[in-house]
Amino acid sequence: MPLEAAEALAIQALGFIAEDAERLTRFFGVTGLDPSGIRDQIGEPGFLAGVLAYLASDEQTAGEFIAHAGCAPDDIFRAHIALGGQPWEREIP
């Protein structure tokens, strides 16, 4: 997947997480970030790959995002890799 497409998908995923208070609270709880932390980290290498890894770690949220974005499950994996993330061993629903 081209880097620009991977970045766009990750930013879309971050927006998807942020648009729902429950999803955003869970994201903050798992990552230890807060709104200012996101602003500080958004340009850091690996942050967007981390957003996709977080998304993929929750089957329900990943499935909801896939339906919302109209993407294929392996698009999340391919974008994660394109952004420098390490391969994971589980499949996304």
Side-chain angles (χ1 to χ4, degrees), residues 10-11 13-20 23-29 31-48 50-51 54:
I11 290 168
L14 184 58
F16 175 77
I17 292 166
E19 72 186 18
D20 180 85
R23 283 192 299 255
L24 186 59
T25 300
R26 194 171 348 134
F27 178 77
F28 287 151
T31 64
L33 292 172
D34 59 25
S36 66
I38 289 176
R39 285 189 291 276
D40 293 342
Q41 293 294 313
I42 194 80
E44 294 297 316
F47 174 74
L48 292 176
V51 168
Y54 166 80

Side-chain angles (χ1 to χ4, degrees), residues 36-88:
S36 66
I38 289 176
R39 285 189 291 276
D40 293 342
Q41 293 294 313
I42 194 80
E44 294 297 316
F47 174 74
L48 292 176
V51 168
L52 294 173
Y54 166 80
L55 183 70
S57 72
D58 183 297
E59 286 186 31
Q60 179 178 341
T61 305
E64 291 170 359
F65 175 70
I66 289 164
H68 172 81
C71 66
D74 30 322
D75 286 344
I76 296 172
F77 175 77
R78 292 183 311 117
H80 174 76
I81 297 301
L83 293 167
Q86 297 297 313
W88 54 63

